Amino acid sequence: MKKLNLILLLMCLPIVFTSAQEFGNRINEDESKVPQYTLPDVLMCNNGMKVKTVKEWESIRRLELLEIFSSQEYGRTPTEKMNVSYDVLSEDTNALNGKATRKQILFTFTNGKKNIEAILLLYMPNNVKGKAPVFIGYNFLGNQSVTEEKAVFASPSLHLVEGANSNVWTRGSQKNRWPIEMIIDRGYAVATMYYGDIYPDDKELRDHSIVSLFSDYDKYSIHHDEWNAIGAWAWGSSRVADYIINNESKIDSNRIALIGHSRQGKAALWAGAQDTRFKVVISNCSGCGGAALSKRVFGENIARITSSFPHWFCPAFNRYAGNESNMPFDQHELLALIAPRHLYVASAEEDIWADQKGEYLAAYYTKDVYKLYGMEGLDSPIPPAINQPIQNDVAYHIRTGIHDVTDFDWTQYLNYCDKYMR
Ligand code: GTR
């Protein structure tokens, strides 16, 4: 009998394994097939009490939600302080034909035994009297990819990337995503770092990430709330903020905007949820695990993202693969953690994979929290027309085109920051 049970169990196992994978392959991009779902009420506390005041939100519900996202999705950010030293590698007050001061700062993170290096590339406007506001954001292909300027160093961790000498990694290859001169002309500073310097985006390279410097590091940890790449990238944004706040007197510490595209949009939202020094948080095409509601199961779903990128989320998130209907939380609650600071969610018309409607709705359903603060969220559950931004305290646009960051996007972000960070 016992033997029979074992045989039956063994026969069932492949079904269990294939079904998670199957869910990942079963991608729905048809609005009429979105399942019926009920979103958790962002103001409802774990004990059933409904939040009515800012005080209750900040002292009870906000903390509960931070705990949910730490234990169920992104993993727990360590509280241990990491040693970091800064070396200014270069400073040019005459960059961009005299419009900007360009600095490159080497960050060396260390636990005494092992070091990890990252380079921050910072442009500050020369014509701003007083302190300038700043955009902080990661780039995808190294600092040398965001500009044609020859003096910009390649990012330190590029040697870990296979094929990093191919064309996509060349100087200026991503300059369209980083209209530095336009940002400077509008009176903003911009600071960018290669995200791979903080956590190389490969499940085999955990040993080269900042995660490996912490005292409780276990390469093979499958602990349910083990932090991973998105958690590390979010942590890294806060370290860039530390540097700027403590070392750059020409930048206004009270006017820091955090911007992230796609996987970095996910990380920006998580960073913005945890670190209140980010006064504006911008999610550009962040999709699944970012701004998009998981319960719509539209476009990329949890089964697919956790199997394609097993090193992004904490192990507990796998529980929801093909099981979104049982999630006790959803992404609108992550976005609500940014209140009362300013939140901008943006989508692209052709970026179906990121579920534009799900991105809009998550931003829309933050409204009750913004209302507690007397602020205006998005007014309608129906998204605006293409290229028609709404810039209330919570902002949204969907523009024509593909999954990318364009001048149109940046123009809207600059307008929004002019409105709320002045
Ligand atoms: C895709 C992934 C998305 C998004 C994107 C990106 O492959 O499915 O979740 O993060 O990458 O970061 O460009």
Side-chain angles (χ1 to χ4, degrees):
M1 196 58 185
K2 269 194 181 153
K3 209 173 170 187
L4 187 65
N5 278 344
L6 185 69
I7 291 169
L8 280 175
L9 181 73
L10 287 175
M11 281 170 65
C12 289
L13 273 182
I15 299 172
V16 175
F17 287 132
T18 42
S19 63
Q21 204 182 17
E22 225 180 73
F23 277 120
N25 292 332
R26 224 184 283 156
I27 296 296
N28 175 40
E29 293 185 342
D30 176 349
E31 190 60 36
S32 71
K33 297 204 175 101
V34 169
Q36 288 276 337
Y37 63 92
T38 310
L39 289 181
D41 179 343
V42 64
L43 294 180
M44 192 62 80
C45 297
N46 293 344
N47 68 2
M49 181 192 97
K50 179 114 175 182
V51 164
K52 289 190 203 65
T53 62
V54 164
K55 190 163 174 237
E56 286 168 354
W57 166 255
E58 289 182 356
S59 63
I60 305 170
R61 184 60 181 154
R62 189 170 191 283
L63 307 182
E64 287 180 359
L65 287 172
L66 282 169
E67 175 57 26
I68 287 177
F69 287 101
S70 300
S71 62
Q72 306 297 310
E73 187 162 356
Y74 305 110
R76 204 167 292 284
T77 309
T79 48
E80 184 182 333
K81 203 173 165 312
M82 180 57 53
N83 281 317
V84 53
S85 59
Y86 310 116
D87 294 297
V88 178
L89 300 178
S90 80
E91 177 162 6
D92 179 355
T93 53
N94 204 23
L96 304 177
N97 297 321
K99 285 182 178 181
T101 297
R102 184 191 57 237
K103 281 176 87 169
Q104 300 183 78
I105 306 103
L106 176 70
F107 286 41
T108 307
F109 298 102
T110 184
N111 60 8
K113 292 184 222 122
K114 180 176 165 185
N115 296 343
I116 289 193
E117 294 184 338
I119 297 179
L120 184 71
L121 171 64
L122 170 64
Y123 286 87
M124 295 176 283
N126 285 339
N127 66 354
V128 170
K129 291 199 187 76
K131 292 169 186 270
V134 65
F135 287 95
I136 293 177
Y138 287 112
N139 61 72
F140 276 67
L141 297 176
N143 293 349
Q144 80 295 338
S145 72
V146 308
T147 168
E148 300 274 7
E149 291 203 305
K150 296 217 168 36
V152 172
F153 301 120
S155 293
S157 68
L158 283 182
H159 72 276
L160 295 168
V161 179
E162 249 176 73
N165 43 15
S166 77
N167 280 348
V168 291
W169 302 84
T170 51
R171 193 166 295 285
S173 64
Q174 293 233 305
K175 64 173 196 253
N176 291 352
R177 286 187 178 177
W178 295 92
I180 296 170
E181 205 162 331
M182 167 170 135
I183 300 168
I184 291 290
D185 285 343
R186 295 277 299 254
Y188 289 78
V190 54
T192 184
M193 181 182 273
Y194 173 49
Y195 78 127
D197 286 356
I198 298 296
Y199 196 125
D201 197 356
D202 181 324
K203 66 178 174 10
E204 305 301 335
L205 295 179
R206 191 169 162 82
D207 276 347
H208 296 271
S209 73
I210 51 95
V211 170
S212 72
L213 294 182
F214 285 82
S215 53
D216 60 354
Y217 175 59
D218 169 2
K219 182 176 183 179
Y220 301 104
S221 170
I222 49 163
H223 207 263
H224 77 281
D225 62 354
E226 178 70 26
W227 71 324
N228 244 321
I230 293 180
W233 295 323
W235 178 93
S237 303
S238 291
R239 303 297 70 81
V240 172
D242 293 344
Y243 167 77
I244 286 181
I245 290 169
N246 296 320
N247 301 279
E248 293 297 344
S249 57
K250 287 192 190 141
I251 295 186
D252 185 346
S253 307
N254 290 314
R255 289 188 294 158
I256 302 180
L258 180 62
I259 178 168
H261 168 61
S262 203
R263 65 199 70 184
Q264 290 316 321
K266 309 178 208 296
L269 289 167
W270 180 224
Q274 298 173 89
D275 188 337
T276 57
R277 297 173 302 173
F278 297 117
K279 293 297 184 298
V280 170
V281 179
I282 303 167
S283 147
N284 191 93
C285 301
S286 64
C288 180
L293 292 175
S294 301
K295 286 177 183 287
R296 277 174 44 82
V297 208
F298 185 102
E300 187 173 33
N301 60 35
I302 296 180
R304 174 64 79 88
I305 202 167
T306 51
S307 54
S308 308
F309 306 104
H311 58 294
W312 282 6
F313 300 90
C314 69
F317 199 45
N318 297 335
R319 294 174 192 160
Y320 304 110
N323 188 26
E324 284 86 348
S325 60
N326 285 322
M327 290 176 77
F329 63 99
D330 211 330
Q331 300 303 109
H332 62 304
E333 295 175 297
L334 174 73
L335 274 51
L337 288 170
I338 290 159
R341 292 160 296 126
H342 283 86
L343 166 68
Y344 200 129
V345 173
S347 313
E349 189 182 12
E350 292 173 46
D351 192 14
I352 293 164
W353 188 241
D355 182 16
Q356 308 97 327
K357 189 169 177 195
E359 294 183 312
Y360 177 79
L361 286 174
Y364 170 72
Y365 283 112
T366 62
K367 65 182 180 351
D368 293 345
V369 179
Y370 279 92
K371 205 166 151 202
L372 285 179
Y373 288 96
M375 296 171 78
E376 197 185 359
L378 299 165
D379 302 324
S380 160
I382 299 162
I386 310 286
N387 298 333
Q388 300 292 322
I390 306 177
Q391 299 192 345
N392 298 340
D393 286 307
V394 176
Y396 177 84
H397 73 245
I398 175 165
R399 61 150 169 81
T400 39
I402 58 167
H403 184 75
D404 201 356
V405 195
T406 67
D407 281 2
F408 178 90
D409 296 319
W410 273 105
T411 304
Q412 312 321 312
Y413 302 149
L414 287 159
N415 293 346
Y416 179 68
C417 289
D418 278 355
K419 193 166 168 188
Y420 296 108
M421 280 210 310
R422 282 283 163 212

